[in-house]
Amino acid sequence: MILVPQKSILIAEVRDEESRQVSFSALDISQNKFLWNTNNPDSVTYLSLDLHTAKIQEKPSIEKFAMEPVEVLIPVQYLQGSPYFETVKKFVVQKQDYQPVHSIEYLENSDLIFISMYTQVETLMENWILIFDRSGELLLREKIGAALKGLGLETFFIWGSYLFFVKSKMELVTYVIR
């Protein structure tokens, strides 16, 4: 279940193990009424939910979507001590006052700069993803890992116009790149 921020809307996923069906519903708690309900959306389409308006949009079928040719972009990893690491580190320190350590993953796409970096917290590390526009304005800063003992490789990728990464080793996060 998801509670929509600043709204009195509850989004629920219901799984019927017996019939092997999945449905999603949105309930306006303040008015005690359903806003919408879907039955087994993954069999025909995929759904897009706007958390600010609680509106759901039906998208083309997964099969059609998956068959379109799409470019996959993978970041380049720069290890601490390399000149590229130091260049990106200087940019991050200047813009965000973080101190990246050990590894930075870097990718430029259209008008955006994507950086995945590690910071030291005592004996462990945190992994952050940062997105900047070309002027250096921060658009997204999100912690994607905490209490880490080692480094990851390819901690994010871009598939078509979507950014993908795994957060806290459990949650697949996707953002639309516009």
Side-chain angles (χ1 to χ4, degrees), residues 2-172:
I2 300 171
L3 183 60
V4 177
Q6 283 90 24
K7 303 271 185 184
S8 57
I9 298 171
L10 183 66
I11 311 294
E13 174 189 39
V14 178
R15 294 182 173 268
D16 184 335
E17 294 296 323
E18 193 171 296
S19 67
R20 309 213 28 94
Q21 294 287 310
V22 178
S23 66
F24 296 90
S25 302
L27 173 67
D28 185 333
I29 299 168
S30 65
Q31 297 180 21
N32 198 27
K33 71 175 190 175
F34 280 99
L35 299 174
W36 47 259
N37 185 44
T38 65
N39 290 321
N40 202 14
D42 54 353
S43 66
V44 178
T45 61
Y46 72 95
L47 303 174
S48 171
L49 172 65
D50 183 332
L51 290 179
H52 299 290
T53 64
K55 300 250 188 256
I56 192 165
Q57 292 181 315
E58 193 170 295
K59 299 294 182 175
S61 74
I62 292 172
E63 292 81 15
K64 179 181 175 190
F65 182 73
M67 292 176 69
E68 295 173 7
V70 177
E71 183 178 18
V72 177
L73 302 174
I74 307 293
V76 176
Q77 183 183 47
Y78 301 131
L79 296 176
Q80 193 165 6
S82 78
Y84 296 113
F85 178 94
E86 297 305 321
T87 300
V88 178
K89 176 181 177 179
K90 183 178 178 182
F91 173 79
V92 169
V93 168
Q94 199 174 42
K95 296 293 181 182
Q96 288 296 298
D97 198 31
Y98 281 110
Q99 290 295 321
V101 296
H102 305 301
S103 171
I104 291 175
E105 292 184 329
Y106 182 87
L107 177 65
E108 291 182 31
N109 182 31
S110 30
D111 294 327
L112 300 175
I113 299 168
F114 300 84
I115 298 172
S116 172
M117 60 162 207
Y118 292 88
T119 57
Q120 196 75 45
V121 180
E122 297 175 8
T123 61
L124 301 172
M125 294 177 291
E126 293 179 337
N127 186 199
W128 292 84
I129 190 160
L130 308 172
I131 302 175
F132 297 91
D133 65 15
R134 291 286 177 168
S135 67
E137 182 182 341
L138 181 69
L139 303 174
L140 175 74
R141 176 183 58 217
E142 191 163 339
K143 186 187 306 183
I144 63 176
L148 303 171
K149 295 177 184 176
L151 303 175
L153 181 62
E154 299 174 357
T155 56
F156 71 92
F157 67 92
I158 295 173
W159 183 67
S161 60
Y162 298 91
L163 168 67
F164 288 85
F165 58 89
V166 175
K167 185 175 181 177
S168 303
K169 300 179 185 179
M170 299 175 68
E171 178 183 355
L172 179 62

